[in-house]
Amino acid sequence: MNDPFYEFTSLNNTTRFDFLSIGKREIHKAVIYSQSADPQIFFLSLANVSQEDLLDFVTTSNNGDLKVVLATVVQTLITFLDIHPTVMVAFTGNTPSRSRLYNILISQELDQVSANFLIFGIKGDRIELFTRNSCYDSFLISRKNVNID
């Protein structure tokens, strides 16, 4: 993904990345990487950050800069995996339409990112290598060196 992205800062030992979304208004956002019960899997979440530093994972901003926000999330993911090269990152849309959007974006970028990353799609309880024109509920991404046995 070679799209423009927002400058971001790393917090909490590289498990939180903050940036400012500048669209119709300025919105403080954070990308959070939370470790799961399996120490090799982290969950990626995008949140709006209130002035009190409270995280809102539900509100859709509609700030007019979705492409730049998503490019920023991808850049934080690359940074996170550079620092933690043996983990996998899982993510899903918080709505079915958001998951469809992720399916479309990954399909568009698959050729470019597959040189360095493995991307898996999850349908129900089945995990498979991401395939274009398939509809997945959630996703896993890792550096190519990670084994998902």
Side-chain angles (χ1 to χ4, degrees):
M1 191 171 230
N2 292 323
D3 295 320
F5 59 92
Y6 293 119
E7 193 172 309
F8 54 88
T9 57
S10 173
L11 305 171
N12 298 345
N13 198 23
T14 68
T15 58
R16 177 174 163 172
F17 297 85
D18 284 30
F19 65 96
L20 194 60
S21 164
I22 305 169
K24 298 172 191 168
R25 57 198 181 284
E26 290 186 354
I27 301 172
H28 181 181
K29 293 193 172 279
V31 181
I32 311 292
Y33 294 90
S34 307
Q35 192 169 28
S36 72
D38 180 334
Q40 277 201 275
I41 298 177
F42 283 76
F43 296 111
L44 180 158
S45 301
L46 176 63
N48 290 340
V49 182
S50 73
Q51 290 181 339
E52 297 80 25
D53 204 36
L54 299 174
L55 301 175
D56 175 358
F57 295 100
V58 179
T59 302
T60 302
S61 302
N62 293 325
N63 203 25
D65 61 344
L66 177 63
K67 196 168 186 173
V68 182
V69 168
L70 291 175
T72 305
V73 171
V74 169
Q75 291 302 315
T76 71
L77 177 62
I78 291 167
T79 300
F80 182 79
L81 289 173
D82 283 346
I83 296 165
H84 307 280
T86 61
V87 304
M88 299 188 78
V89 175
F91 60 97
T92 189
N94 57 359
T95 64
S97 63
R98 189 57 55 118
S99 292
R100 275 193 306 277
L101 174 65
Y102 296 160
N103 274 284
I104 291 166
L105 292 173
I106 293 169
S107 290
Q108 290 172 348
E109 301 294 332
L110 190 60
D111 291 337
Q112 181 180 345
V113 298
S114 62
N116 297 310
F117 299 97
L118 290 172
I119 302 175
F120 298 90
I122 302 170
K123 293 180 187 178
D125 61 353
R126 205 173 85 232
I127 299 173
E128 61 185 53
L129 272 173
F130 185 92
T131 306
R132 280 187 183 93
N133 302 320
S134 290
C135 199
Y136 299 105
D137 304 317
S138 19
F139 312 90
L140 279 170
I141 188 166
S142 71
R143 290 282 180 190
K144 278 209 162 182
N145 63 324
V146 174
N147 188 354
I148 70 150
D149 290 336

